């Protein structure tokens, strides 16, 4: 379950890059189109580039009525887009899968001169006690659990190597998520590391999560502290 990005981030993205309805954004590794949709809602033309057929199909079914939506089967390192054809490149939750050097070269090729690449992630706020307890449950009951990021965390050096002259603008935006019990359990159970219903630790996992929900919920809702991390710069 991937959350939308906060309005403050979308407004910042549009303002920082001076985007208007005449501009074209390439959303690379667009998945099911979460960010794509929010950019379309701003009146932008968005070319969604995604290699996974299942995810791309979900986006196409949901967004087919947007007149400025274009869907392409392509990879980050070889998008198939025309040279110097886009005004901004966005990458939401996908940068860690790319060959950074080849992707950088592709960005330089398809971007109009001197324009930006925007990288963004939604991630749990690791300073929250509730998130820490959620992680502890996963550590104890999910053998393949390796932090909520999957153990994938970009280093400052990788951003410095990717962006031109090592310069980029970093911002965070609060993007807390509200769930009822079913949605909270669903978010945890849909993770790749979560036990399946046939596994011996499944019931214990659900029980521990339910107890965590009861501990921190109010009016049958729980707030998951969540942060949107934004990196924007030239390449």
């Amino acid at each position: 379950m991937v959350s939308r990005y906060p309005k403050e981030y979308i407004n910042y993205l549009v303002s920082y890059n001076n985007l208007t309805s005449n501009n074209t954004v390439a959303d690379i590794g667009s998945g099911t189109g979460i960010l794509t949709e929010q950019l379309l809602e701003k009146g932008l033309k968005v070319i969604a580039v995604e290699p996974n057929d299942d995810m791309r199909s979900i986006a196409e079914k949901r967004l087919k009525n947007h007149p400025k939506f274009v869907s392409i089967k392509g990879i980050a390192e070889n998008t198939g887009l025309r040279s110097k054809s886009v005004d901004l490149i966005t990458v939401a939750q996908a940068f860690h899968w790319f060959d950074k050097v080849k992707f950088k070269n592709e960005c330089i090729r398809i971007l109009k001169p001197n324009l930006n690449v925007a990288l963004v992630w939604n991630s749990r706020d690791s300073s929250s006690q509730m998130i820490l307890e959620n992680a502890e449950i996963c550590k104890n009951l999910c053998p393949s659990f390796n932090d909520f990021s999957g153990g994938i965390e970009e280093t400052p050096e990788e951003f410095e190597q990717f962006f031109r002259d090592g310069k980029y603008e970093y911002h965070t935006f609060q993007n807390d998520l509200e769930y009822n019990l079913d949605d909270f359990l669903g978010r945890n159970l849909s993770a790749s590391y979560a036990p399946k219903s046939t596994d011996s630790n499944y019931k214990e996992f659900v029980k521990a999560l339910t107890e965590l929900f009861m501990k921190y919920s109010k009016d049958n809702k729980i707030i998951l502290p969540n942060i949107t991390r934004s990196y924007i710069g030239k390449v």
Side-chain angles (χ1 to χ4, degrees), residues 63-83:
L63 304 175
K64 63 184 178 184
N65 293 325
H66 279 274
K68 291 188 173 183
F69 170 62
V70 178
S71 179
I72 288 180
K73 180 174 184 174
I75 60 173
E77 302 82 1
N78 183 16
T79 62
L81 300 183
R82 288 184 295 108
S83 296

Side-chain angles (χ1 to χ4, degrees), residues 119-136:
L119 313 176
V120 64
W121 282 265
N122 271 329
S123 27
R124 290 172 175 86
D125 182 354
S126 58
S127 67
S128 156
Q129 182 59 32
M130 193 271 289
I131 297 295
L132 292 172
E133 290 179 36
N134 196 165
E136 198 61 31

Side-chain angles (χ1 to χ4, degrees), residues 192-231:
S192 59
Y193 51 75
K196 304 294 181 280
S197 58
T198 50
D199 292 338
S200 59
N201 56 340
Y202 177 82
K203 287 184 179 177
E204 189 179 357
F205 186 57
V206 171
K207 180 174 180 285
L209 291 171
T210 302
E211 289 171 353
L212 180 68
F213 180 90
M214 296 306 178
K215 179 178 177 180
Y216 286 99
S217 64
K218 186 176 181 182
D219 298 326
N220 296 314
K221 299 283 185 182
I222 195 169
I223 303 295
L224 262 70
N226 195 65
I227 292 172
T228 296
R229 295 182 290 120
S230 163
Y231 305 77

Side-chain angles (χ1 to χ4, degrees), residues 67-147:
K68 291 188 173 183
F69 170 62
V70 178
S71 179
I72 288 180
K73 180 174 184 174
I75 60 173
E77 302 82 1
N78 183 16
T79 62
L81 300 183
R82 288 184 295 108
S83 296
K84 307 289 184 282
S85 63
V86 301
D87 302 290
L88 175 68
I89 291 169
T90 57
V91 183
Q93 312 286 139
F95 183 64
H96 48 272
W97 299 115
F98 301 167
D99 179 309
K100 309 294 193 300
V101 174
K102 290 180 180 178
F103 175 57
K104 179 173 180 172
N105 289 335
E106 182 71 347
C107 290
I108 293 168
R109 186 185 72 78
I110 67 174
L111 269 175
K112 293 175 186 176
N114 221 36
L115 296 180
N116 294 319
V117 178
L119 313 176
V120 64
W121 282 265
N122 271 329
S123 27
R124 290 172 175 86
D125 182 354
S126 58
S127 67
S128 156
Q129 182 59 32
M130 193 271 289
I131 297 295
L132 292 172
E133 290 179 36
N134 196 165
E136 198 61 31
I137 290 169
C138 294
K139 274 182 207 165
N140 292 337
L141 295 170
C142 307
S144 61
F145 178 74
N146 188 14
D147 200 1

Side-chain angles (χ1 to χ4, degrees), residues 163-178:
F163 289 108
R164 187 194 301 174
D165 300 324
K167 294 178 181 176
Y168 57 90
E169 182 160 305
Y170 173 64
H171 272 297
T172 61
F173 302 82
Q174 201 67 32
N175 190 25
D176 293 346
L177 309 174
E178 184 181 84

